[in-house]
Amino acid sequence: MTMTALFTGRSAAGGDHVTDVYRYAARKGAIETVEAAAEDLGLAVREVREAVEHLVESRLLRIDDNAGLRFVPVDPELAAASLVSSVEREIYQRRELIDQIRERIGVFQQDYTAVEAGTAPRAVDYLVGSMEVRGFLKTAGDACRDEVLVLQASGGVTGDLSETFLTLLARGVVVRIICQHRNRGDVSTRMRMKRLTDAGAVVYTLSHIPRSAVVFDRSLVVMFGANGEEANVARVRDHGIAQFFLDLFNHLWEMATPLEGIEFGYADVADDLQQAIAALMAKGYTDEVVARKLGMSVRSCRRHIASLMRDLEATSRFQAGVAAARSFLRNAG
């Protein structure tokens, strides 16, 4: 039995009859037998029995005889207090467990800190494994005070970190994200991005981003491993590298296109997307490679390629790529 079922007065078994059965018990002073209650309420015996079981588990009815056939109603305030006390007890036990874990693990902190203090600080170190990576990202997010800059490659990091970003936004931290154009066409990603933009994040898109990275407070750079690898990040504290990433992010930001609203699509970035596709086609890449580099499905990529070839009246992919690249260069000039 879940808390949701209790508070809605419903259960998968008892349906809408839980409230009716409790009211009947309160009006009568007791349910003498399930069969009698079913007859009085015009319900099936099974429906009443399931509702009674729900109410007993919810502490709103208690068994009043040795045979377990008679049930009397309990004051809802007392029932709620009983349930809350059990939940509070569980919370206390979990907090106690958390304190115990921190105390046991904390014993080793002094040794680790002593070793770190005795060695030259490392500009880059690596964390491998989803548990270690998640723990580090939570710590970095908790320590962040001013700004988070995000580069999201295909498959990116905002899916895993969107809740962290929402928490940071609620604290007044600035969150700027550059992701790939493909996010404009993916429904689930679009909804996730809308939650972030509604909360105050600023999101821009580009045709291609080679690797995901996050910069916390302009000083801590986190580079994510390539797709398909075990969860891993490179943690960079070197000032020079951090400044390089800041310059790179600002450069890409000026080239990118703002992502606005929930009904966005490829219209605002059609030229940039076609230019990226044309450039890759001119290099002789297959449809599969072009799609992978741009973070979109092969089917979507082929649709864009077909449209590009049709617009350019090209007879081959290579011809279309070269013609499009020349056209874009002329327009840019």
Side-chain angles (χ1 to χ4, degrees), residues 272-327:
D272 187 34
L273 189 60
Q274 285 197 340
Q275 183 178 5
I277 291 174
L280 294 172
M281 288 170 61
K283 292 180 179 179
Y285 288 126
T286 64
D287 295 351
E288 289 76 11
V289 173
V290 173
R292 185 172 68 251
K293 285 183 175 293
L294 297 180
M296 62 174 59
S297 69
V298 176
R299 182 177 180 181
S300 295
C301 182
R302 284 173 176 161
R303 188 165 60 247
H304 286 294
I305 290 173
S307 175
L308 183 63
M309 292 180 66
R310 184 173 59 252
D311 293 342
L312 294 171
E313 298 181 349
T315 57
S316 71
R317 297 171 75 263
F318 179 76
Q319 180 188 14
V322 172
R326 288 175 177 170
S327 174

Side-chain angles (χ1 to χ4, degrees), residues 123-145:
V124 182
D125 56 356
Y126 298 89
L127 302 173
V128 179
S130 57
M131 293 295 290
E132 189 172 358
V133 169
R134 279 200 299 267
F136 163 68
L137 291 174
K138 183 181 185 308
T139 301
D142 291 344
C144 185
R145 292 292 174 267

Side-chain angles (χ1 to χ4, degrees), residues 144-217:
C144 185
R145 292 292 174 267
D146 299 314
E147 182 183 51
V148 173
L149 306 178
V150 183
L151 290 176
Q152 178 193 328
S154 177
V157 297
T158 57
D160 297 331
L161 291 178
S162 57
E163 294 302 323
T164 298
F165 294 153
L166 289 170
T167 301
L168 290 170
L169 288 163
R171 284 172 28 207
V173 174
V174 174
V175 176
R176 291 196 288 158
I177 301 171
I178 304 177
C179 56
Q180 298 195 161
H181 289 331
R182 69 172 297 275
N183 291 322
R184 295 172 174 269
D186 182 80
V187 175
S188 61
T189 304
R190 196 162 67 216
M191 295 303 293
R192 187 164 59 244
M193 288 298 180
K194 184 178 187 300
R195 287 185 66 201
L196 290 170
T197 54
D198 286 349
V202 184
V203 182
Y204 279 40
T205 68
L206 275 175
S207 59
H208 178 56
I209 298 171
R211 185 65 63 90
S212 296
V214 180
V215 183
F216 293 94
D217 282 338

Side-chain angles (χ1 to χ4, degrees), residues 47-190:
E47 293 174 328
V48 174
R49 181 174 290 111
E50 290 170 349
V52 166
E53 290 174 357
H54 176 102
L55 291 164
V56 170
E57 291 179 3
S58 303
R59 316 288 174 83
L60 287 164
L61 289 181
R62 63 177 174 82
I63 300 172
D64 194 47
D65 64 345
N66 293 331
L69 299 176
R70 188 174 189 271
F71 304 90
V72 296
V74 177
D75 182 340
E77 188 174 346
L78 296 178
S82 175
L83 287 171
V84 168
S85 65
S86 64
V87 173
E88 288 177 336
R89 184 166 56 252
E90 182 178 349
I91 292 173
Y92 173 78
Q93 290 171 345
R94 287 183 178 273
R95 285 177 176 168
E96 192 175 46
L97 177 60
I98 290 171
D99 290 340
Q100 290 174 357
I101 291 172
R102 284 178 172 163
E103 183 179 353
R104 291 171 183 172
I105 298 298
V107 170
F108 303 98
Q109 184 65 50
Q110 186 174 0
D111 299 307
Y112 182 81
T113 303
V115 172
E116 289 286 296
T119 58
R122 290 172 291 184
V124 182
D125 56 356
Y126 298 89
L127 302 173
V128 179
S130 57
M131 293 295 290
E132 189 172 358
V133 169
R134 279 200 299 267
F136 163 68
L137 291 174
K138 183 181 185 308
T139 301
D142 291 344
C144 185
R145 292 292 174 267
D146 299 314
E147 182 183 51
V148 173
L149 306 178
V150 183
L151 290 176
Q152 178 193 328
S154 177
V157 297
T158 57
D160 297 331
L161 291 178
S162 57
E163 294 302 323
T164 298
F165 294 153
L166 289 170
T167 301
L168 290 170
L169 288 163
R171 284 172 28 207
V173 174
V174 174
V175 176
R176 291 196 288 158
I177 301 171
I178 304 177
C179 56
Q180 298 195 161
H181 289 331
R182 69 172 297 275
N183 291 322
R184 295 172 174 269
D186 182 80
V187 175
S188 61
T189 304
R190 196 162 67 216

Side-chain angles (χ1 to χ4, degrees), residues 232-274:
N232 67 93
V233 299
R235 179 171 52 186
V236 183
R237 294 189 179 89
D238 181 82
H239 175 73
I241 298 177
Q243 188 59 50
F244 167 78
F245 268 90
L246 292 174
D247 293 342
L248 173 63
F249 184 91
N250 289 329
H251 173 69
L252 295 176
W253 187 262
E254 292 184 4
M255 296 172 56
T257 305
L259 187 71
E260 298 175 347
I262 184 57
E263 296 302 331
F264 51 73
Y266 289 112
D268 294 339
V269 296
D271 289 344
D272 187 34
L273 189 60
Q274 285 197 340

